[in-house]
Amino acid sequence: MIVKINRGCKLVGCGSAVPKLQISNDDLSEIVETSDEWISTRTGIHNRRVLSGEESLVGLAAEAARKALQMANIDPDDVDLISMCSSTPEDLFGSAPQGRHYLQKQWQGW
């Protein structure tokens, strides 16, 4: 008798989160010498999101994970792997280990 074991993984849910603070090109032009027209014609960017002192990248990751779990309609204990990518000037290699610890604490409350 031949038993086939299928191994692999599949994406069952995804989530995202963005900082609340939004800075427009006009806001930026009050700080440095630039304009909305100059920035938008060169980059296509009109607004950007920035972490405030009240938010953290790890907190945003937890929010995104919560949304992914809701989308997949699964319990946090059934998760085998979390894939997270990030890079910031403060942490070029990402905050995934911190995110894992933070998520474990958050999941206890879900």
Side-chain angles (χ1 to χ4, degrees):
M1 179 160 111
I2 298 173
V3 178
K4 260 188 158 177
I5 299 175
N6 292 325
R7 294 187 181 200
C9 64
K10 66 179 180 178
L11 179 66
V12 294
C14 64
S16 63
V18 296
K20 293 175 185 161
L21 179 60
Q22 188 169 328
I23 297 177
S24 70
N25 292 342
D26 290 329
D27 295 333
L28 200 56
S29 70
E30 293 177 15
I31 300 169
V32 296
E33 189 177 329
T34 189
S35 69
D36 175 60
E37 189 268 331
W38 191 91
I39 296 171
S40 61
T41 58
R42 288 164 176 77
T43 66
I45 296 171
H46 293 278
N47 295 291
R48 70 231 3 97
R49 301 285 182 144
V50 179
L51 283 173
S52 69
E54 300 170 4
E55 297 173 305
S56 71
L57 183 59
V58 173
L60 289 176
E63 182 182 342
R66 182 180 50 76
K67 289 178 180 178
L69 289 169
Q70 287 175 340
M71 176 188 216
N73 196 29
I74 60 172
D75 188 82
D77 292 331
D78 295 332
V79 173
D80 294 324
L81 174 72
I82 297 172
S83 179
M84 175 184 163
C85 298
S86 68
S87 181
T88 64
E90 295 80 23
D91 185 4
L92 294 177
F93 297 105
S95 299
Q98 295 170 18
R100 182 176 178 267
H101 175 72
Y102 186 85
L103 290 172
Q104 286 174 332
K105 288 184 356 187
Q106 293 293 312
W107 285 349
Q108 293 170 359
W110 287 348

